[in-house]
Amino acid sequence: MKSNLLSLLFLVVLATSVSAQQNLIPFAKPIIGTEKMGHTFPGATVPFGAVQLSPDTDTIPYEVNNRYNKDVYKYCAGYQYDDKTIVGFSHTHFSGTGHSDLGDFLVMPTAGALQLNPGTEEKPETGYRSRFSHATEVAEPGYYKVKLEDHNIVAELTTSQRTGFHQYTFPASEEAHIILDLMAGIYNYEDKNVWTFVRIENDTLVTGYRQTNGWSRTRTVYFALSFSKPFKQYGANDYSKKQVYKGFWRKFDQTKNHPDLAGKQLRLYFDFETEASEKVKMKLALSPVSTRNALENMQAEIPHWNFEQAKTEAQAAWNKELNKIQVQTINEEDKINFYTAMYHAALMPTLYMDVNGEYKGLDQNVHQAKDFVNYTSLSLWDTYRAFHPYLNLINPKRNGDIVKSMLAHYDQSALGMLPIWSHYANDNWCMSGYHSVSVIADAIIKGNANINAQYALDACVATARKRSYEGIGYYIDLGYIPGDKNGTSVSSTLEYAYDDWCIAQLAKHLKREDIYQEFSKRAENWRNVYDKRIGFMRPRLSDGTFKKDFDVLNTEGQGFIEGNAWNFSLYVPHNPAAMIALMGGEKRFTEHLDSLFTMDLPDAFFAHTEDITREGIIGNYVHGNEPAHHVAYLYNWTSKGWKTQERVRMILRHQYHNGSAGLGGNDDAGQMSAWYLFSALGFYPVAPGSDQYALGSPLVKEATLNLENGKTLNIKALNQSDKNVYVKSVMLNGEKLTGNFIKHADLIEGGNLVFEMSSKVPK
Amino acid sequence: MKSNLLSLLFLVVLATSVSAQQNLIPFAKPIIGTEKMGHTFPGATVPFGAVQLSPDTDTIPYEVNNRYNKDVYKYCAGYQYDDKTIVGFSHTHFSGTGHSDLGDFLVMPTAGALQLNPGTEEKPETGYRSRFSHATEVAEPGYYKVKLEDHNIVAELTTSQRTGFHQYTFPASEEAHIILDLMAGIYNYEDKNVWTFVRIENDTLVTGYRQTNGWSRTRTVYFALSFSKPFKQYGANDYSKKQVYKGFWRKFDQTKNHPDLAGKQLRLYFDFETEASEKVKMKLALSPVSTRNALENMQAEIPHWNFEQAKTEAQAAWNKELNKIQVQTINEEDKINFYTAMYHAALMPTLYMDVNGEYKGLDQNVHQAKDFVNYTSLSLWDTYRAFHPYLNLINPKRNGDIVKSMLAHYDQSALGMLPIWSHYANDNWCMSGYHSVSVIADAIIKGNANINAQYALDACVATARKRSYEGIGYYIDLGYIPGDKNGTSVSSTLEYAYDDWCIAQLAKHLKREDIYQEFSKRAENWRNVYDKRIGFMRPRLSDGTFKKDFDVLNTEGQGFIEGNAWNFSLYVPHNPAAMIALMGGEKRFTEHLDSLFTMDLPDAFFAHTEDITREGIIGNYVHGNEPAHHVAYLYNWTSKGWKTQERVRMILRHQYHNGSAGLGGNDDAGQMSAWYLFSALGFYPVAPGSDQYALGSPLVKEATLNLENGKTLNIKALNQSDKNVYVKSVMLNGEKLTGNFIKHADLIEGGNLVFEMSSKVPK
């Protein structure tokens, strides 16, 4: 009673101190993007939390008959809106990625005869899974609810940072079960489970871990699971195809009430007797370090069994996060898109540290995060573009911690490299470039990194000089990666050139002239893969000639990663002016760009292209994948900046919708959403690492940015409407801007940024 | 230079402070027992050290064509004297066990073309292994040396507690290699390797771990490896039958100079260029916790590259250990047997704790050993008999630490049980009984345990009441385990009865009357499996009747574990007098015992009997396995105590020899050797848990026991000779003993124990 009163008091105080806050929970819709290729998850989590407790609608095998199962891609987030059944609720999910892993610790409540296998979507009654309907489904930030029809159980989920909180309302049953499936997982190839270990500590507490060889090569997640009510009995089965060595463990019947379990493919069940509408609750906390830490996390974060309180706290955390920007929009759909984008841009990276500050590093040793919060799951090829700049604007402290996490990764890396895709004490090496350097340069240059900047620069340089990594040796020696040596030679050359420019900018900032010279020179390397004769970037071979039989539309085998020459040829974010000049000047360039947005692509294109969908494309402009995210803003470097305004408004309207199928492509760890957020506010960071934003066409009517420095930036779009997409003038604190750009340093001083909108193309 | 001088000074001081010490290194021969079934290893270690760095002469697969490979049993210690080749030197070995595991981190230096497979004994040139000859082999406590003939390399090994130190003298070679085989292991079944992880930290330092599912179900050993000289290059191969998931790791050529490796079946090589007679040195330290701790262990224990100094320190540790008993013997063979027994009785259990006090517990969490040294590898079914009582006499501090290790195990056990066979953060559950209780009772009753004795008693009781473990429920309900419910029903009933007596004794000592009553009653349960009609212990069925078709010689399927009715029927160590009475009184009992030692066994017996060999048998008395180890002393409970003297002397002479085949059976973690040590000193603990030793026939002429309490016990055998096996009189500090027994409490007061020997049977 006392603690409840205290909690209540706390909430009252909290409510008072955030009295200026609006309740924005109704506008952030986790369900958006859960259909088709959005790859978002609908379940419960808190901002950047370590736990993402969410329903999985299928457990898809990675291979069928020894062949890669293409459907695996659909289930990156475990959930597809069209599916008719829920297999269970697992505790870890990526948001919006195009590759996956995770799905740890799948839990499913059932009633009736025990079934330990999941069953099939066609015949859910053959297993523990259940039919469900969207009619009973509630998906809010920090809260998820659904009725499991086959079992007549209502499941509710909420979380704290490291702890999932389940509340299951059972029917009256003498055979109520909670299943813990340690075999289930996302991207679930055979042998992914390296080892699992479980201890039944007492009749309400279970601990253990699961070690996987997945997208993260060597990953172990520890858990502590607590039930609100003692189970009557429990049991387990090991479904390993090849049984693990048992030795004298054969003395025990390990399938029933045996508290000490280990193996490769374990499923457990816990039996209860329930009265009608009885709520059985369960908390499952994670740790990257140990079961002891997992239990400590649980006890520190949710020491009680009050589900409503936990939900209230989770949603309070979301309201705090979402209130960093308060907007007024033309219509409610825009407001929902805006706050859903803010929601999606606060799911990754994820907290990777216990309440005591411990985490497991790349060397598999336990490290203590001193003076920073450690994060993992950095999908940097996606997020360096707009997501990290977005954090620098609205959440700089967190981005500073992410930079520190990257430097800790560098310190622990056997290769001596900054992360490519930092993933639970591993690098999964996904995608190309070394875009950590962009994030670091952008943070330091924008004054947001309480770090040893010289050391950070050294880390950037060491990474960029790693000759053995993805053609860097060739790139250093020849100024480009030869197409006969590497399959993504052009895109990597282009990305390295941009990253090198970031290093150069940072070196300049830190007065390291030698580094500045070296990397300024490297930053020009994009020129070496431009074929003037055809006006496109093109693979160049070791002998200096260009690849023959070159297809500017094809995304495969042409030297580009997840893109074609049309999109990637525009990838010189750090020097659009020089690129335009090389491409023949403004007129030819503008025509080229216009064609990109308006051309018709053949159907065959979509059949052969990974990570690019028809929904994500406008003409041949691929918004559904990242390489062209800056492209619509390039008109700003011509005299036709209004074309950027037109295109940006079109993309905002065309690629983002309310509803489960609302995202045109993978949300990619928040990058797609961060593009939306910047663009909706009226500006975009074309080249992170510079202090400059290119202007676009704001979608909001008004926005208040509550900056961390205590200042407030008010953005107004006068005469805003669906027709008025053009910007007649921009005033910052009463002064009219003369160019198409605005400085970050000016924005964070706060004040008023006023766009005057018009339906007419400016002269 | 400075540190060398300091070390020298240290050694001088050390030498001064132990000036009374003799150099006993020449008398302890690690090679004894390495042929046939002794299962000892010849390599280097320090007393109770965590590292046992020893040559493996074959890497035997557990299965061949899906059938168990019987030869696996031969290689419990990795080495068989008759073999002609050495595969490499691995860092962990059990001593004398009849089951195995370990063989971690096999290292082999080679010269010439690189071969990463071990090759075969018949054609060693097809792999990295090498022929060797015993002529070039030196095996001393703390030091091993051999010439690897195929590579013309002299290998020398020494260790500290947690660190193996290799010194390889190479020929001139441009192709000198050191191979690190992480696939190799002892008891090497497929899928035993769960995961391995390796980092090349720099050109002299390598770290990593190996996780196995072996006799210890979930075991991970971490290492740090340092070379005295930078390698030129390195590489690795993963030999997994099913390749592990690689993802974007495919970007890297992981076979050459790639510093970040993981997989299931890894072999690595490190390349050097060597001059003639160049010594390349290597240190490999272990940790049960982390690579960080492994490196810390190495730096704390052997911070230098002076192999001779490390060897000197290892041998100084051995001399200190061996000098705890200084003996004079009839001949040198006896002295060698004695000190080799002391050596073998100081190899297990092994240190299981880092220099910083950390170790991994059964819950897989990292624990800190506070105020004790933590040990693992407690082969208790073997060692409770004489080994732990031996430590209580000569090394009580260490035995106290072992008891504390057992209680820590209990604290961490999911089952709430004391260890059966404590094994690297696991219990492998090997053999029967719950003999931890014997060790605990013996230590406390002998005044040697600085522990919470009441808590220890609670742990004993909890273990003994664990109904789900090996028939305990039946045993509690019926007073015996029914033969139709359990395959080793008789031996377990007998062992539980003895263990229960130990608990009763401890309860009495601690004035816990209820426990004393309960377990005194249970201690009588041996009576329930005695079949008066045949005069043997015999399986009793659930209905109370005895098993039909009973074979008193057969060791299989008759209700006994590793023994037959002849041997096990004498297993009432806590109450021989009552057993003798039940068996029909002194005359019939003596005849029975005489028969045991003199009968002829059919050849078929040996073909079907595990862990019992012809060498280990006298008549039907099985000395090569433990259940009968107390039997020769049972004559003391009759009027014919001299028969004990005769038999004991015969066993000492018959079962222990110099030479590689010198042990008649598995040394069993020092139990066989501890039997020898007690018996050679003239007394034996028939029932650990009592303060009483039964007298036998000493083999030594004189012995000085330097007790830890600062006192000295001098044992003299007057008129000692090979013929004078009978004891005419025994005087303790001038007072003549009247019975056949002597008290521990009296012995540890020190003084003089004088046996007068004679060739005549006493009247």
Side-chain angles (χ1 to χ4, degrees), chain A residues 487-492 494 526 529-540 546-572 579 583 589 592-593 595-597 599 601 605 609 612 617 620-622 625 627-628 630-631 634:
Chain A
T488 57
S489 61
V490 186
S491 54
S492 285
L494 295 173
W526 59 274
V529 287
Y530 183 72
D531 183 358
K532 270 194 176 173
R533 283 164 307 171
I534 62 168
F536 285 95
M537 304 290 178
R538 180 174 188 172
R540 198 157 172 193
F546 285 102
K547 178 188 190 297
K548 300 209 173 76
D549 303 324
F550 180 57
D551 181 344
V552 295
L553 278 178
N554 196 341
T555 58
E556 283 185 19
Q558 307 302 315
F560 301 96
I561 193 163
E562 290 192 5
N564 60 17
W566 263 98
N567 281 273
F568 252 117
S569 290
L570 300 166
Y571 188 83
V572 189
M579 179 189 74
M583 286 178 77
F589 173 76
H592 181 98
L593 210 49
S595 307
L596 178 75
F597 282 102
M599 67 195 294
L601 280 182
F605 176 84
T609 301
I612 298 171
I617 286 195
N620 182 15
Y621 167 79
V622 180
N625 206 10
H630 66 297
V631 163
L634 291 179

Side-chain angles (χ1 to χ4, degrees), chain A residues 62-63 66 99-100 187 189-191 193-201 207 209 211-218 220 222 242-252 254 258-264 289-293 362-368 411-415 417 420 426-432 466 468-470 561, chain B residues 62-63 66 99-100 187 189-191 193-201 207 209 211-218 220 222 242-252 254 258-264 289-293 362-368 411-415 417 420 426-432 466 468-470 561:
Chain A
Y62 178 78
E63 285 178 327
N66 291 320
H99 196 298
S100 196
Y187 248 71
Y189 33 87
E190 203 189 326
D191 289 337
N193 264 19
V194 171
W195 199 244
T196 45
F197 177 87
V198 181
R199 284 160 62 95
I200 317 302
E201 304 279 357
T207 61
Y209 67 76
Q211 180 179 353
T212 51
N213 165 224
W215 202 29
S216 170
R217 190 174 61 178
T218 302
T220 305
Y222 300 81
K242 175 141 186 153
Q243 280 292 307
V244 297
Y245 178 77
K246 287 239 182 334
F248 287 90
W249 284 94
R250 289 195 186 85
K251 286 183 180 182
F252 298 100
Q254 295 186 66
H258 183 74
D260 198 350
L261 299 162
K264 292 192 183 177
V289 169
S290 66
T291 62
R292 180 194 285 144
N293 279 11
L362 272 80
D363 56 2
Q364 303 285 305
N365 284 312
V366 176
H367 294 259
Q368 181 83 28
D411 289 340
Q412 297 153 11
S413 159
L415 284 148
M417 289 179 72
I420 302 301
N426 285 260
D427 201 312
N428 67 37
W429 304 108
C430 180
M431 298 303 281
S432 48
K466 192 79 193 173
S468 60
Y469 181 70
E470 280 264 80
I561 193 163
Chain B
Y62 179 76
E63 285 178 327
N66 292 321
H99 197 298
S100 194
Y187 247 71
Y189 32 85
E190 202 189 327
D191 290 335
N193 264 21
V194 170
W195 199 245
T196 46
F197 177 87
V198 181
R199 284 161 61 96
I200 316 302
E201 305 278 357
T207 61
Y209 68 76
Q211 179 178 353
T212 51
N213 164 226
W215 202 29
S216 170
R217 190 174 61 177
T218 302
T220 305
Y222 300 82
K242 176 144 185 149
Q243 279 293 306
V244 297
Y245 178 76
K246 288 238 180 334
F248 287 89
W249 284 94
R250 288 194 186 87
K251 286 183 180 184
F252 298 100
Q254 295 186 67
H258 184 73
D260 198 350
L261 298 162
K264 291 192 181 177
V289 169
S290 66
T291 61
R292 180 193 284 144
N293 279 10
L362 271 80
D363 55 3
Q364 303 285 306
N365 284 313
V366 176
H367 294 259
Q368 181 82 30
D411 289 338
Q412 297 152 12
S413 160
L415 284 147
M417 290 179 71
I420 303 300
N426 284 260
D427 201 314
N428 67 36
W429 305 107
C430 179
M431 298 304 281
S432 48
K466 191 81 196 171
S468 59
Y469 182 71
E470 279 264 81
I561 192 163

Side-chain angles (χ1 to χ4, degrees), chain B residues 561-701:
Chain B
I561 192 163
E562 291 192 5
N564 60 17
W566 263 98
N567 280 274
F568 252 116
S569 290
L570 300 165
Y571 189 84
V572 189
H574 52 298
N575 202 349
M579 177 187 75
I580 290 166
L582 197 63
M583 286 178 79
E586 174 175 328
K587 186 164 176 296
R588 282 189 59 185
F589 173 76
T590 308
E591 285 166 12
H592 181 97
L593 210 48
D594 289 346
S595 304
L596 177 74
F597 282 102
T598 53
M599 67 195 293
D600 272 334
L601 280 180
D603 279 349
F605 176 84
F606 298 97
H608 297 293
T609 302
E610 192 179 305
D611 256 22
I612 298 170
T613 59
R614 188 173 280 286
E615 291 80 2
I617 287 196
I618 299 166
N620 182 13
Y621 167 79
V622 181
H623 191 72
N625 205 10
E626 276 68 16
H629 272 192
H630 65 297
V631 163
Y633 285 92
L634 292 178
Y635 289 108
N636 277 317
W637 278 263
T638 73
S639 60
K640 302 222 164 42
W642 57 268
K643 289 201 174 192
T644 285
Q645 296 155 25
E646 205 176 76
R647 298 295 180 207
V648 164
R649 184 65 75 95
M650 177 179 66
I651 297 166
L652 284 166
R653 282 272 178 259
H654 195 286
Q655 294 288 313
Y656 301 84
H657 300 285
N658 289 185
S660 51
L663 296 179
N666 300 162
D667 192 59
D668 281 324
Q671 166 57 26
M672 286 282 282
S673 290
W675 189 96
Y676 182 95
L677 294 165
F678 270 121
S679 295
L681 295 174
F683 50 94
Y684 188 84
V686 167
S690 89
D691 193 42
Q692 188 188 68
Y693 298 110
L695 292 169
S697 170
L699 184 66
V700 299
K701 288 169 74 177

Side-chain angles (χ1 to χ4, degrees), chain A residues 437-450:
Chain A
V437 308
S438 164
V439 178
I440 289 172
D442 196 52
I444 294 175
I445 285 166
K446 286 176 179 160
N448 167 36
N450 173 25

Side-chain angles (χ1 to χ4, degrees), chain B residues 30-37 40 42 55 57 74-75 78-85 121 132-135 137 139 144 659-662:
Chain B
I31 208 72
I32 291 177
T34 60
E35 191 176 339
K36 296 185 178 163
M37 293 305 162
T40 54
T57 57
K74 274 177 70 179
Y75 289 91
Y79 181 97
Q80 275 291 345
Y81 191 83
D82 286 342
D83 287 346
K84 305 298 178 205
T85 64
E121 181 166 23
F132 78 108
S133 155
H134 297 300
E137 194 180 32
Y144 179 84
S660 51

Side-chain angles (χ1 to χ4, degrees), chain B residues 269-568:
Chain B
Y269 63 90
F270 301 90
D271 291 346
F272 301 85
E273 224 175 286
T274 50
E275 294 172 13
S277 299
E278 180 175 347
K279 287 177 167 53
V280 178
K281 303 174 199 179
M282 197 193 111
K283 294 180 286 196
L284 191 151
L286 303 182
S287 162
V289 169
S290 66
T291 61
R292 180 193 284 144
N293 279 10
L295 188 57
E296 188 184 340
N297 291 341
M298 183 196 295
Q299 288 163 344
E301 290 181 355
I302 314 184
H304 56 76
W305 284 108
N306 187 335
F307 184 88
E308 281 305 313
Q309 180 185 338
K311 175 189 167 188
T312 301
E313 287 172 8
Q315 298 203 323
W318 275 114
N319 254 330
K320 188 178 170 201
E321 193 71 25
L322 298 174
N323 271 278
K324 288 178 176 169
I325 309 179
Q326 292 168 330
V327 294
Q328 293 179 39
T329 54
I330 297 167
N331 55 46
E332 182 163 305
E333 178 169 12
D334 285 349
K335 190 167 182 181
I336 288 172
N337 281 339
F338 193 92
Y339 284 110
T340 300
M342 279 192 80
Y343 174 81
H344 283 146
L347 299 178
M348 289 175 70
T350 53
L351 180 67
Y352 182 67
M353 181 178 101
D354 291 319
V355 290
N356 63 9
E358 291 182 349
Y359 67 98
K360 199 177 280 181
L362 271 80
D363 55 3
Q364 303 285 306
N365 284 313
V366 176
H367 294 259
Q368 181 82 30
K370 290 192 183 101
D371 307 324
F372 73 105
V373 176
N374 194 42
Y375 290 95
T376 191
S377 296
L378 310 184
S379 186
L380 292 158
W381 183 83
D382 300 302
T383 57
Y384 80 90
R385 301 166 201 263
F387 171 78
H388 293 282
Y390 163 72
L391 290 189
N392 276 335
L393 181 63
I394 208 67
N395 210 340
K397 169 82 174 65
R398 197 178 310 265
N399 204 49
D401 283 338
I402 292 168
V403 168
K404 289 179 185 176
S405 305
M406 289 162 58
L407 291 172
H409 178 116
Y410 168 76
D411 289 338
Q412 297 152 12
S413 160
L415 284 147
M417 290 179 71
L418 285 161
I420 303 300
W421 208 115
S422 157
H423 185 177
Y424 249 84
N426 284 260
D427 201 314
N428 67 36
W429 305 107
C430 179
M431 298 304 281
S432 48
Y434 31 82
H435 303 304
S436 279
V437 309
S438 164
V439 178
I440 290 172
D442 196 52
I444 295 174
I445 285 166
K446 287 176 178 162
N448 167 37
N450 172 27
I451 54 167
N452 181 338
Q454 296 287 356
Y455 181 72
L457 175 59
D458 292 340
C460 292
V461 169
T463 304
R465 284 186 186 152
K466 191 81 196 171
R467 295 181 62 92
S468 59
Y469 182 71
E470 279 264 81
I472 291 181
Y474 295 115
Y475 174 85
I476 290 172
D477 294 342
L478 302 174
Y480 63 95
I481 304 170
D484 45 337
K485 301 292 185 187
N486 186 295
T488 57
S489 61
V490 187
S491 54
S492 284
T493 297
L494 296 172
E495 293 184 15
Y496 292 167
Y498 160 69
D499 288 335
D500 290 344
W501 173 82
C502 292
I503 295 173
Q505 298 314 296
L506 180 56
K508 188 176 170 190
H509 183 81
L510 299 173
K511 306 194 185 344
R512 292 272 289 273
E513 183 61 23
D514 51 338
I515 301 296
Y516 173 68
Q517 292 297 338
E518 174 185 348
F519 284 88
S520 290
K521 185 159 173 282
R522 284 172 56 148
E524 296 297 315
N525 282 343
W526 60 272
R527 296 175 189 271
N528 299 333
V529 287
Y530 183 74
D531 183 356
K532 269 195 177 170
R533 285 164 304 170
I534 63 167
F536 286 94
M537 303 292 179
R538 182 174 185 172
R540 200 159 170 190
L541 308 182
S542 301
D543 64 7
T545 65
F546 285 102
K547 176 189 190 298
K548 301 207 173 78
D549 303 324
F550 181 57
D551 180 344
V552 295
L553 278 178
N554 195 342
T555 57
E556 283 185 19
Q558 306 302 316
F560 302 96
I561 192 163
E562 291 192 5
N564 60 17
W566 263 98
N567 280 274
F568 252 116

